[in-house]
């Protein structure tokens, strides 16, 4: 999971129905590596899927700054 910046674990959690856990996992990763654009994008996607679009768009914008 280190190679994917937490994305593989978060995708597994989300696919198992634990989107809150997936979001928490990505946030933990981003605390350690705030420049991980892919993790920001994945976080934004999950936030939007769970109805938190305003925060999701902010995360997507964070990703765009880092690409």
């Amino acid at each position: 999971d280190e190679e994917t910046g937490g994305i593989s674990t978060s995708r597994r959690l989300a696919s198992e129905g634990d989107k809150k856990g997936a979001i928490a996992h990505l946030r933990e990763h981003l605390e350690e590596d705030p420049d991980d654009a892919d993790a920001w994008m994945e976080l934004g996607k999950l936030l939007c899927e769970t109805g938190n679009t305003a925060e999701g768009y902010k995360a997507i914008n964070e990703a765009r700054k880092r690409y």
Side-chain angles (χ1 to χ4, degrees):
D1 198 45
E2 263 182 50
E3 288 180 16
T4 64
I7 292 174
S8 62
T9 297
S10 67
R11 286 184 178 161
R12 180 183 53 77
L13 289 167
S15 73
E16 293 171 354
D18 185 9
K19 289 187 178 181
K20 286 183 181 182
I23 289 168
H25 185 74
L26 285 168
R27 287 186 174 167
E28 286 178 24
H29 167 71
L30 286 166
E31 284 181 19
E32 294 180 22
D33 186 4
D35 291 325
D36 186 340
D38 293 329
W40 279 111
M41 188 63 73
E42 189 71 16
L43 177 62
K45 178 183 151 211
L46 285 168
L47 287 166
C48 288
E49 287 176 3
T50 58
N52 194 345
T53 54
E55 193 175 353
Y57 289 143
K58 286 179 185 178
I60 291 168
N61 284 330
E62 288 296 326
R64 292 177 64 205
K65 290 178 193 176
R66 289 161 172 81
Y67 278 122

